[in-house]
Structure formats: C-alpha cells, structure tokens
Amino acid sequence: SQPVEATDDAFWDQFWADTATSVQDVFALVPAAEIRAVREESPSNLATLCYKAVEKLVQGAESGCHTEKERQIVLNCCRLLTRILPYIFEDPDWRGFFWSTVPGAGRGGGDEDDENARPLAESLLLAVADLLFCPDFTVQSHRRSTVDTAEDIHSIDSCEYIWEAGVGFAHSPQPNYIHDLNRTELLKLLLTCFSEAMYLPPSSDSSNANPWVQFFCSTENRHALPLFTSLLNVVCAYDPVGYGIPYNHLLFSDYREPLVEEAAQVLIVTLDYDSSTSSSPTVDGTTTGTAMDDVDPPGPDNLFVNYLSRIHREEDFQFILKGVARLLSNPLVQTYLPNSAKKIQFHQELLVLFWKLCDFNKKFLFFVLKSSDVLDILVPILYFLNDARADQSRVGLMHIGVFILLLLSGERNFGVRLNKPYSVRVPMDIPVFTGTHADLLIIVFHKIITSGHQRLQPLFDCLLTIVVNVSPYLKSLSMVAANKLLHLLEAFSTTWFLFSAIQNHHLVFFLLEVFNNIIQYQFDGNSNLVYAVIRKRNVFHQLANLPTDSQAIQKGLQRKKKSPEPISRTNSQDGVSMEGSRPAAPAEPGTLKTSLVATPGIDKLTEKSQVSEDGTMRSLEPEASQPPSEGSPPSAVSDGEPWSGEASHPRRDRRRLSSASSCGQWAPTPEWVMSWKSKLPLQTIMRLLQVLVPQVEKICIDKGLTDESEILKFLQHGTLVGLLPVPHPILIRKYQANSGTAMWFRTYMWGVIYLRNVDPPIWYDTDVKLFEIQRV
C-alpha cells in the first residue's frame, strides 16, 4: 500500500518471475477487491505495475524471446494485464491512462524526447503484434540451426509466417500446440484491450470508434495483413472432427479449439465498423494492391475491414464458405452421429463473422448465392432458430439468424436456390414433410411464430418479409407448408389481433403479398397452395368484410380477454415431429444473459426495390408526401425508444400485444380500420376463388368426390391465364445498413464475448455499461 519506486526492480520482478503459473492462477492470486483497493489507495503503484508490465512485453518483442525465462515473463505480464485492464476501463478517471505517454518511452529513433513518446496503449498493441509473429514462441522458426543466428524480430517478413494456409497463403505449418497456447494467451490480452467498448453505454452515435481497435488495425501495425490473414485462416481451416476421422477428438486433446475461438472473437471485434455512416469499403475487388503500397488504401482506415472487403479470388471465397459451413453444421452432425465430432460452442461468433463478410464484401455475398452451397449455411441457421425459439437467453441468436436470412433474401438467387429438394434429415422439432428448402424455411418460421416466446414478437415483421422476398421464386410448396401459411393468416386476421395494436395488420399485408406473388408468378407448380386457399376461403371473405364500426371494434377487442394466447395452436395440424428430435426448451432458470438494444423497425431495416422484367432491381425512393404503405409501419412506431435496453423498458414484450402502452393512449377507430382495410390486396385471390371454387364444387358433385387427390390433379392442370388481374410488379425489401443495426451488433457481439469467457472470467463482476447482465 506504500508507493514503490519504479526503479525497485526486485519488487516489480516478483510479479512475473514465477515460473509455473497459468492465467487461471493469476486470476485466483489477484482478487478483484485488491485491484480496486490499489486503484483507489495507491494509484501510483497501479500505474507503475501497468507501465512495467508493458515494458516487459516491449522488451520481449525487441529481443525475440529466445530463452524459456523470457517467454515465461512475457506470458505472465500478458496474464497480469488481462486481469487488470477491465478494472482500469471501469473507472472513467483511469480510462485515459493507457493513452497518456510515459516519460522516456520514445517512438524509436535516437533522440528520446518526450514529444515523440508513444502512448502506453500503442506500445502495448505493437508489442503484442510483434509477439504474435515471434519465431519459436508463436511461429515455427525458419532457420535450421539456432546457434547465434536467431532471427532478428525486426527483419522478419511476418507475411511468411502466416499461421495457417487459406486466403493468400498456401503453406500449412506443422501444428505446434505450444505455439497455439501462446497465441491464445496473447489474443486473450488483445481482446481484453479492445473490451474498453463494454464500459461505455450504448449510443446511436457511431463516431466514437474504439481507439484500441482503430490503432491496431491502422497502418501503424506492420503485421496487420498477416495477422488478419492468420486469424481468418485459422478459423476457416479448423476441423473439429480431428483430421477428418470421426471420434478422433476423444483420443487427442485439441489445442486448436481455444485458439480458433479466441481468433474468431478478436476477428469480429476488429471488424466492428458501421458501414452506413462511412465511405463503404470497395466491393468490386479490382484493387489488388495491399496496404503496403504507397497509395492511400481505398475505403475505411480500418485495414481489417479493408482487407476483408477486397478478398476476391474464387478459391478464397470457396475456402471461407466451406469453413464457415463446416463449423456451423457441427451441432447438426452431433445429432445424427452423437459424439463423433467435438461439439463447438462458438457458432454465434461465426454468424457475426458471416454477417460481416456478406455486409462488407458484396462479391462474397454473390458467390455464396451463386451455387446451392448457400443451403449449407441456411440449414444450420434454421436449426439454431428452431432450437432457440423457446429460450429467452438466446434472443440475440434468433435475431442474428433472422438478420442474415433477411440480407440473403434481398437477392433473387436466394429464392431460386430454395427450390432444391430438402433431403438431409437433421432431427428437428418440426412436422415431418417431403419438399424443398423453402418448405423447411416456412415450417420453421411458423413454429417460431406460434410456439416461440413473447420476446420474439418484434421479429415477426422480419420473418414474414423474408417469406415475401422469396415468394415470387417458389416453384412448388408442399401441402404442409401451404397449410402453415394459411394458419398464420387465420391467426393474424382475427379481429382482436388486428384491432389490438397499431401495426398488427402489417402481418396480414405481408401474407397476402406472399399469396399474390405465388399465384401471379408461380401458379403452375403450386396446386397445394391454391387448394389450401380454396379450402380456407372463408378467411379471405371475412377479411374483405371486416367490420369497421365502433361497436364491432369493441366486440373484437372483448374476445381478446377470453383468449390471451396471441396465436392458438389448436387448428394447426402439426402432425408428428421428426424422429430423434428434442422439443425446443426454455432456458434453465438462472441462466445468465445480456440485454440488447432495440432493433430498428422493418421500415428502417429495409429499403424497397422493384424487380423489372429483365430481373434487375431498382430502388424505390420513398416519397415524402405519401402515407406509409401497407407493408411498412409508420416510423412513429418503431420498437419503443430506439436505444432503450430490454431490461429497463420491457416494451419489446408488449409491442404487438398491447395497444395503449406502446404509443400513448392509442385506441382503434373506424377511420383507422378503414384507412388500411381499403388497401388490402385481395383482388387476385378473390378472382381466383371466383373462377375456381364453382369448378371444384362441380367436380365434387359430379364425381361424388371427397378425395383431395382428384381435386389437386384438376388444379395442377388448370390455368388462370387471362383471368387474373394484371400482375403487380415484384417488390423486394432489401436490408439496408443503418446505425441502429450497427449498435445492435456491437451490444450483441460483446454480450456473447462476455458470457463465453468464463475460464478465466475476464469481465465478470466489473461495472460493464454496454449491456446489463440478467438472469433468466
């Protein structure tokens, strides 16, 4: 507790000289209360400790860590800083400490004048970057003999030491578990440096970039390119099965997995970049120069984002896509060959990484959609969505899965790919069906809407927008999927649901748009859907005759009190679930979760594009004077306050169900009902019913039929050419980047990282401000 002189080496050296420690030991030996006590009572000692620890890392980086003792000192300083940094970040008075200069620490060069001194943070980050490419410590040495010819750490070209083959590097180094462990510890420290973001409250102002990430990903870091490549390749090349041999992981301990997890987390944090506010990264892939060129790199200053946006070789895309798909499918492999592969836990980080790839590199997005490989991403996402639908602690996972599908659904190719028959039999808690990937998507979405928990209500708009976007391309829906769509329409068009919240009717508009798209553009193969529409024709007639007088509105709302369940499951014939599947379970009580900021409404999240005859899309600029169209909610009713956390404002729960609480004392009026009822797009369906119902009834009477197959056969050969209204233009709602989703991704990503780092618990019990930690 007494101030100790910085020159008292004997005192300070005891902190890192100990030979056998692990990061867990450091966490046990240095309790939180002690760090806080030193911070409050002897700040000069804490400052000296940080400064000395960074100095040791810088010395290690300078010398190249040739002795076992030096390596031990570097690792111990690394662990100590990982332990202490969160307590520096949680105190606003200390936050600037690492960005202050330390006397005598020059930026290199002969004259050590203080003008030229580097902030401590910069020295720390550059030392860590150097250490990540330190021969015989974190990378294989290329020299044969080690006598006196130790490689000078400053003369090595780290691009020759990339950790794994893949993007931009063909050579796969010998696996070395000691190097993997050392890299993992250094990356843990790096992630801890970046985690200052957790100690600032969420704000819609995206200009406050993370200074640690900003510096690390700038041209100041000479290892930026090889490190970005190493992280990406280590993640995408990882095979949890273990050299492709099932059950191999039971025989060998896997040192790669912790490194892959850490690499994935560091990678997504370095890519935290709001593309909506800044000049967008180049997406044409024409710039092939590296950042090592003299010219200013195009696009963002963040080199990691820059490199990611400039990947353009087909074989690199193939490597990334195969890797991500292999890792996302890992839990599915678990279900039909139990324990054959090690179960990985970092699928949420992978989804964020996949999102960043598609968002920052349009060439990658088009590559993904060019072949049916996109289905290898779709199926695991649907699996996660279905599995997490009842679990309140996994709301974030539900959102990111839906966001990715929304992004993909904006491209025509995605809808086309969905027509591929679905034959993989991943045990999922959904009805058995025979059909395509489109059927799978609709059946899973129906399951989420009818049996997910209430927190998912804000996602309904998104789910149905995805179905609308793909609907013009769906060649033939199965009977199971067709019935699910009609069941949703039935549930959403009950009077109490339509009248109980200001935006509920949007869901009916979305569904009618789906039916119209399929009838107008894919009538021929969709006899199942046409048959289902005919069978449930009363739902459409009821909508057309929806009462608008005050009395009827009140009566409709009375019904609500009798049936509080938002959507009854009774009249949805669910049939038997797939064999071997487990029902989706709610979270175990006491499960930790982190709060999320509200997501923007669908009108802010997407922008409308019209598909022309030749298949090209043109953006429809919203006209200022027009009232909001049926599909997009008026902007006044976004999800509660845009930046409220979930915990403090449980608005998200009540968004669909209650009316009064969401916007003052709103109540449905006859004028309001009329305003949207008159726009219900029912003409096409009414015409179809008018033409086909008498014909179907006639067949039934003539042949005394009660059998569907005959009617389906008739509908298959029927045609409505010339009988339907002129086809409407296809409208696609494409995802558009905005600062609201950028902030959502930041809180989600750090929440995942916080909860996943429990051994050691780096941030546990510190005063985090970006989100709240809650128990289910």
Side-chain angles (χ1 to χ4, degrees):
S1 60
Q2 296 305 309
V4 181
E5 280 301 312
T7 47
D8 183 353
D9 285 342
F11 174 79
W12 297 109
D13 284 349
Q14 62 185 0
F15 284 96
W16 30 81
D18 200 5
T19 47
T21 50
S22 67
V23 64
Q24 284 78 6
D25 294 344
V26 172
F27 272 66
L29 292 168
V30 186
E34 271 183 40
I35 304 174
R36 288 192 176 113
V38 173
R39 187 182 70 194
E40 306 310 325
E41 288 145 34
S42 29
S44 67
N45 284 355
L46 184 59
T48 307
L49 182 63
C50 291
Y51 160 57
K52 287 281 184 189
V54 173
E55 189 181 51
K56 287 289 174 201
L57 289 180
V58 171
Q59 285 168 5
E62 294 284 321
S63 71
C65 287
H66 296 305
T67 66
E68 195 45 54
K69 183 172 181 230
E70 282 179 284
R71 289 174 199 157
Q72 202 51 55
I73 289 175
V74 162
L75 287 172
N76 283 339
C77 290
C78 197
R79 293 159 183 159
L80 194 63
L81 285 166
T82 302
R83 180 61 171 144
I84 293 170
L85 273 166
Y87 297 91
I88 299 239
F89 294 151
E90 75 174 357
D91 185 334
D93 298 336
W94 274 85
R95 222 167 273 150
F97 168 72
F98 268 85
W99 294 97
S100 55
T101 50
V102 176
R107 287 176 183 264
D111 52 333
E112 299 272 316
D113 53 312
D114 288 348
E115 263 69 279
N116 216 9
R118 269 199 185 285
L120 202 52
E122 294 187 6
S123 307
L124 170 56
L125 290 170
L126 293 177
V128 171
D130 278 339
L131 288 164
L132 286 168
F133 292 99
C134 183
D136 291 324
F137 179 55
T138 50
V139 291
Q140 244 21 99
S141 171
H142 289 184
R143 299 280 164 96
R144 285 282 160 263
S145 84
T146 45
V147 189
D148 297 334
T149 56
E151 288 160 279
D152 175 14
I153 191 121
H154 292 288
S155 66
I156 72 169
D157 174 5
S158 45
C159 285
E160 294 172 14
Y161 289 87
I162 289 171
W163 302 349
E164 186 56 77
V167 176
F169 195 66
H171 165 69
S172 187
Q174 263 319 103
N176 178 321
Y177 80 92
I178 301 284
H179 294 174
D180 277 1
L181 292 174
N182 295 342
R183 291 164 178 173
T184 304
E185 298 229 35
L186 285 160
L187 290 179
K188 221 182 253 318
L189 171 57
L190 200 51
L191 195 59
T192 310
C193 291
F194 295 159
S195 71
E196 186 182 340
M198 281 197 217
Y199 297 90
L200 303 169
S203 80
S204 52
D205 174 22
S206 50
S207 58
N208 48 6
N210 183 330
W212 296 83
V213 173
Q214 215 169 2
F215 178 80
F216 190 78
C217 298
S218 73
T219 46
E220 295 272 350
N221 177 2
R222 71 188 184 97
H223 303 294
L225 180 61
L227 190 60
F228 167 76
T229 313
S230 294
L231 296 172
L232 184 62
N233 291 354
V234 155
V235 172
C236 295
Y238 179 55
D239 180 5
V241 175
Y243 309 105
I245 308 160
Y247 303 102
N248 203 16
H249 70 287
L250 300 175
L251 311 176
F252 301 100
S253 178
D254 180 0
Y255 296 98
R256 206 16 89 98
E257 191 188 18
L259 173 66
V260 175
E261 278 200 15
E262 215 64 54
Q265 292 178 1
V266 168
L267 200 50
I268 60 177
V269 170
T270 55
L271 295 170
D272 176 21
Y273 176 83
D274 181 356
S275 58
S276 67
T277 53
S278 41
S279 62
S280 140
T282 50
V283 291
D284 58 355
T286 49
T287 42
T288 46
T290 68
M292 312 303 168
D293 300 347
D294 299 334
V295 289
D296 273 350
D301 303 327
N302 176 326
L303 292 179
F304 279 41
V305 174
N306 198 339
Y307 297 143
L308 184 82
S309 69
R310 285 160 51 176
I311 298 171
H312 60 276
R313 294 188 354 210
E314 294 255 321
E315 54 271 38
D316 290 343
F317 287 157
Q318 190 59 32
F319 165 74
I320 295 171
L321 181 57
K322 281 272 181 275
V324 173
R326 174 176 60 247
L327 292 169
L328 285 178
S329 312
N330 164 273
L332 286 62
V333 177
Q334 290 300 321
T335 50
Y336 46 83
L337 268 183
N339 300 328
S340 62
K342 183 167 181 169
K343 185 155 190 175
I344 61 161
Q345 302 295 338
F346 55 96
H347 49 275
Q348 300 193 86
E349 292 93 321
L350 285 164
L351 290 171
V352 175
L353 177 60
F354 183 76
W355 169 269
K356 299 279 180 199
L357 280 156
C358 292
D359 197 21
F360 294 156
N361 190 324
K362 287 297 171 263
K363 283 205 145 179
F364 177 74
L365 176 64
F366 299 143
F367 176 85
V368 169
L369 293 166
K370 209 170 67 174
S371 73
S372 51
D373 288 351
V374 64
L375 303 175
D376 299 337
I377 300 284
L378 169 74
V379 173
I381 289 179
L382 291 175
Y383 173 85
F384 292 129
L385 290 179
N386 188 55
D387 189 53
R389 68 177 193 265
D391 182 340
Q392 300 85 333
S393 70
R394 291 196 282 169
V395 178
L397 171 63
M398 298 292 296
H399 276 75
I400 186 163
V402 173
F403 283 158
I404 289 173
L405 298 183
L406 179 65
L407 180 70
L408 295 174
S409 75
E411 306 298 331
R412 171 182 181 274
N413 264 355
F414 181 64
V416 174
R417 300 283 159 238
L418 290 179
N419 290 308
K420 190 176 175 181
Y422 176 69
S423 49
V424 204
R425 284 288 168 251
V426 178
M428 280 164 81
D429 173 28
I430 53 172
V432 181
F433 71 98
T434 306
T436 65
H437 285 76
D439 294 308
L440 177 68
L441 178 129
I442 287 169
I443 291 166
V444 169
F445 283 9
H446 173 269
K447 202 79 166 161
I448 293 167
I449 291 172
T450 55
S451 63
H453 56 84
Q454 285 195 350
R455 272 276 160 94
L456 301 180
Q457 297 227 345
L459 279 177
F460 290 1
D461 284 337
C462 262
L463 291 168
L464 293 187
T465 298
I466 295 165
V467 181
V468 173
N469 282 348
V470 301
S471 60
Y473 310 110
L474 304 183
K475 295 208 178 317
S476 80
L477 287 183
S478 68
M479 193 58 96
V480 177
N483 284 334
K484 297 297 176 208
L485 285 175
L486 278 139
H487 175 241
L488 288 179
L489 182 70
E490 215 172 352
F492 290 148
S493 57
T494 60
T495 47
W496 83 256
F497 185 76
L498 284 173
F499 298 157
S500 62
I502 195 164
Q503 70 288 41
N504 282 357
H505 64 277
H506 295 305
L507 299 173
V508 169
F509 277 88
F510 284 140
L511 285 163
L512 291 175
E513 205 176 324
V514 170
F515 297 137
N516 288 338
N517 281 343
I518 294 178
I519 292 166
Q520 287 282 16
Y521 291 99
Q522 298 289 349
F523 179 82
D524 284 356
N526 274 299
S527 50
N528 288 328
L529 183 74
V530 174
Y531 179 64
V533 167
I534 292 174
R535 271 190 44 217
K536 291 280 184 189
R537 56 190 178 275
N538 63 323
V539 179
F540 299 97
H541 291 303
Q542 275 163 6
L543 266 176
N545 300 318
L546 191 71
T548 53
D549 55 292
S550 311
Q551 221 176 347
I553 293 174
Q554 283 318 307
K555 203 169 133 195
L557 290 171
Q558 290 312 309
R559 279 199 208 152
K560 173 184 181 177
K561 300 195 172 77
K562 293 179 205 135
S563 57
E565 263 293 291
I567 291 171
S568 72
R569 299 184 212 168
T570 45
N571 49 3
S572 158
Q573 312 83 355
D574 241 10
V576 192
S577 270
M578 294 173 74
E579 203 179 327
S581 66
R582 288 193 318 272
E588 293 284 315
T591 307
L592 286 180
K593 72 187 190 78
T594 54
S595 63
L596 293 161
V597 292
T599 50
I602 195 75
D603 55 328
K604 299 240 174 25
L605 209 54
T606 56
E607 138 187 276
K608 291 187 182 169
S609 300
Q610 197 168 310
V611 181
S612 326
E613 307 271 302
D614 58 359
T616 55
M617 289 197 196
R618 62 184 182 85
S619 171
L620 296 179
E621 288 306 312
E623 291 94 41
S625 59
Q626 259 198 322
S629 69
E630 325 81 37
S632 61
S635 38
V637 285
S638 63
D639 287 346
E641 290 94 332
W643 301 113
S644 64
E646 282 180 4
S648 44
H649 300 80
R651 289 250 164 122
R652 307 267 309 262
D653 282 356
R654 311 193 301 248
R655 176 176 158 215
R656 287 260 179 236
L657 294 178
S658 78
S659 42
S661 62
S662 57
C663 14
Q665 282 297 312
W666 178 82
T669 62
E671 296 73 37
W672 171 77
V673 178
M674 276 308 296
S675 72
W676 55 261
K677 180 190 165 181
S678 60
K679 296 198 192 101
L680 283 168
L682 287 164
Q683 304 80 340
T684 301
I685 294 169
M686 288 309 185
R687 185 79 185 114
L688 172 136
L689 293 173
Q690 195 187 349
V691 174
L692 292 179
V693 170
Q695 298 184 2
V696 170
E697 284 176 342
K698 186 172 185 311
I699 297 177
C700 294
I701 295 163
D702 291 355
K703 303 198 174 172
L705 279 184
T706 48
D707 177 25
E708 323 192 321
S709 60
E710 283 289 325
I711 301 168
L712 282 168
K713 203 176 292 171
F714 161 72
L715 292 174
Q716 268 159 17
H717 301 299
T719 175
L720 291 175
V721 175
L723 297 172
L724 290 177
V726 178
H728 55 283
I730 296 174
L731 265 191
I732 302 291
R733 292 173 183 80
K734 287 170 87 88
Y735 168 80
Q736 57 171 356
N738 59 75
S739 48
T741 37
M743 194 64 232
W744 185 88
F745 270 99
R746 182 172 306 156
T747 51
Y748 170 60
M749 167 183 81
W750 279 113
V752 168
I753 291 171
Y754 177 97
L755 292 173
R756 299 263 296 104
N757 284 275
V758 286
D759 184 25
I762 301 180
W763 300 282
Y764 189 68
D765 263 349
T766 58
D767 189 13
V768 171
K769 294 274 195 300
L770 184 62
F771 44 76
E772 293 176 27
I773 293 95
Q774 302 157 343
R775 285 191 186 277
V776 172

